[in-house]
Amino acid sequence: MSPPAMNISEPTAAATTATLPHKTITPIAKDAPVPVAGVMNGSTKTIEEMAGNWEAFSFSAIRESQVSRAMTSRYFADLNDYAESDIVIVGAGSCGLSTAYCLAKARSDLKIAIIEAGVAPGGGAWLGGQLFSAMVMRKPADAFLREIGVPYEEEGAFVVVKHAALFTSTILSKVLSFPNVKLFNATSVEDLITRPADAQGGVRIAGVVTNWTLVAMHHDDQSCMDPNTINAPVIISTTGHDGPFGAFSVKRLVSMQQLGALGGMRGLDMNTAENAIVKRTREIVPGLIVGGMELSEVDGANRMGPTFGAMALSGVKAAEEALKIFDVRKAENDKI
């Protein structure tokens, strides 16, 4: 069972401090009204009690600046806190979210940042193939569905989730309920932080370079839009196959001459593709683990099309690989 969702209380009129995760912030307005859901005649009401009584209904009084400060104070506290992370996951698709779930469940002490270029996390797992809604997972990936509590129909060698969005929304809610995980969506990884790894010119990956996605998309027509950074001893890249934001990390390794060339994703073959992706999820260069369809571009693996078991189990294996190397990479990272 995942930990309960983090509960953050708003400051009362008499409060002097408000506690946020990893940071304490002094509230701006001491005389701010206490936000109460569904206020009627000064009493907190349930949904059932509000029904049919809308003439007496009103929202709590609030200044617009309170909304802004409620968001920005938490976000900037997170930026400050996660500037030094333990693990950064690039890409919040089905593989990245599965990785985050397994890591956060196994190690509550690890600070895990997820960087997602899209506004909506989930990658291609909101729908099945060709925009059809059902999600197919070949066995034994049904074990992961049982782990997170997603119901499915049996179909012999595979199972079917009635809508892919049920899987995505479930795994997303469970990941975000962990107090040691922060999702930064609408944020792109523009580069990798590197350190020398050997005398032959090899590098160790020591973090990521980030920017707002909308900024990253306009570097060709604007200037002086420098990025931000997150240091971490282990990066797990799950950005998918080649595309506008896909296969970013491995393409960057080629341009840095840390990989000779990408193998290039091969044609669709479900029976070989899913096995290859799961089995070969691994650390590509020191500090960088690659999983999911991004790996197909490295190894020249086949694509599997509309079956999602390899994405979930590649995430399970990516988490396993990360925990194997974490202590070593952290010791290396702490030297600088």
Side-chain angles (χ1 to χ4, degrees), residues 230-291:
I230 299 176
N231 284 102
V234 176
I235 310 301
I236 303 173
S237 193
T238 64
T239 66
H241 55 73
D242 197 6
F245 294 102
F248 171 81
S249 296
V250 297
K251 288 189 290 188
R252 187 68 182 99
L253 289 180
V254 172
S255 66
M256 289 191 293
Q257 300 182 343
Q258 298 303 305
L259 287 178
L262 296 182
M265 184 174 63
R266 301 295 197 265
L268 193 151
D269 183 343
M270 289 183 183
N271 288 305
T272 60
E274 291 205 284
N275 290 344
I277 293 299
V278 175
K279 289 182 176 181
R280 293 188 61 77
T281 297
R282 67 195 187 278
E283 187 180 40
I284 300 293
V285 298
L288 179 68
I289 293 169
V290 177

Side-chain angles (χ1 to χ4, degrees), residues 18 39 95 114 122 139 197 200 203 235 246 257 267 269 275 281 286 291 307:
V39 175
C95 182
I114 308 173
K139 295 181 177 179
Q200 287 71 48
V203 300
I235 310 301
Q257 300 182 343
D269 183 343
N275 290 344
T281 297
T307 176

Side-chain angles (χ1 to χ4, degrees), residues 34-335:
V34 182
V36 179
V39 175
M40 293 175 125
N41 301 322
S43 299
T44 302
K45 298 290 185 179
T46 65
I47 291 294
E48 290 76 12
E49 290 170 321
M50 283 188 282
N53 197 23
W54 297 111
E55 289 300 319
F57 171 85
S58 65
F59 283 104
S60 302
I62 195 170
R63 287 183 65 82
E64 290 77 4
S65 60
Q66 289 177 266
V67 176
S68 179
R69 285 165 172 163
M71 294 185 297
T72 57
S73 62
R74 287 160 173 79
Y75 197 87
F76 283 111
D78 286 331
L79 284 177
N80 180 70
D81 193 26
Y82 282 84
E84 280 285 349
S85 293
D86 292 311
I87 294 178
V88 172
I89 298 170
V90 188
S94 48
C95 182
L97 291 173
S98 300
T99 305
Y101 172 84
C102 292
L103 282 171
K105 181 183 177 185
R107 292 282 298 272
S108 61
D109 60 310
L110 295 181
K111 192 186 301 180
I112 302 165
I114 308 173
I115 311 298
E116 166 56 41
V119 172
W126 288 108
L127 288 165
Q130 200 173 322
L131 304 184
F132 301 139
S133 56
M135 170 181 274
V136 174
M137 280 198 179
R138 294 167 63 203
K139 295 181 177 179
D142 54 324
F144 191 78
L145 296 177
R146 291 192 296 274
E147 165 70 21
I148 63 173
V150 173
Y152 55 80
E153 300 173 39
E154 287 278 356
E155 289 281 357
F158 60 92
V159 300
V160 182
V161 178
K162 69 176 183 178
H163 201 297
L166 179 58
F167 169 81
T168 303
S169 58
T170 300
I171 184 65
L172 184 60
S173 67
K174 288 186 176 292
V175 165
L176 293 182
S177 73
F178 286 107
N180 58 325
V181 176
K182 173 61 185 179
L183 169 66
F184 296 95
N185 50 321
T187 304
S188 295
V189 170
E190 290 194 336
D191 207 347
L192 302 171
I193 298 174
T194 63
R195 301 283 187 263
D198 54 51
Q200 287 71 48
V203 300
R204 173 174 55 83
I205 307 304
V208 294
V209 179
T210 64
N211 215 327
W212 308 121
T213 298
L214 291 177
V215 171
M217 293 171 66
H218 285 277
H219 283 314
D220 290 339
D221 53 53
Q222 298 293 328
S223 62
C224 299
M225 297 189 292
D226 283 335
N228 205 348
T229 57
I230 299 176
N231 284 102
V234 176
I235 310 301
I236 303 173
S237 193
T238 64
T239 66
H241 55 73
D242 197 6
F245 294 102
F248 171 81
S249 296
V250 297
K251 288 189 290 188
R252 187 68 182 99
L253 289 180
V254 172
S255 66
M256 289 191 293
Q257 300 182 343
Q258 298 303 305
L259 287 178
L262 296 182
M265 184 174 63
R266 301 295 197 265
L268 193 151
D269 183 343
M270 289 183 183
N271 288 305
T272 60
E274 291 205 284
N275 290 344
I277 293 299
V278 175
K279 289 182 176 181
R280 293 188 61 77
T281 297
R282 67 195 187 278
E283 187 180 40
I284 300 293
V285 298
L288 179 68
I289 293 169
V290 177
M293 290 307 295
E294 185 169 2
L295 193 65
S296 69
E297 300 287 357
V298 179
D299 294 340
N302 295 93
R303 65 189 300 175
M304 73 280 302
T307 176
F308 289 82
M311 297 301 97
L313 295 189
S314 177
V316 174
K317 187 161 189 280
E320 182 181 318
E321 295 298 311
L323 295 179
K324 285 180 183 177
I325 66 170
F326 177 76
D327 290 337
V328 172
R329 298 297 173 231
K330 186 175 189 310
E332 293 171 340
N333 210 50
D334 288 347
K335 293 177 182 178

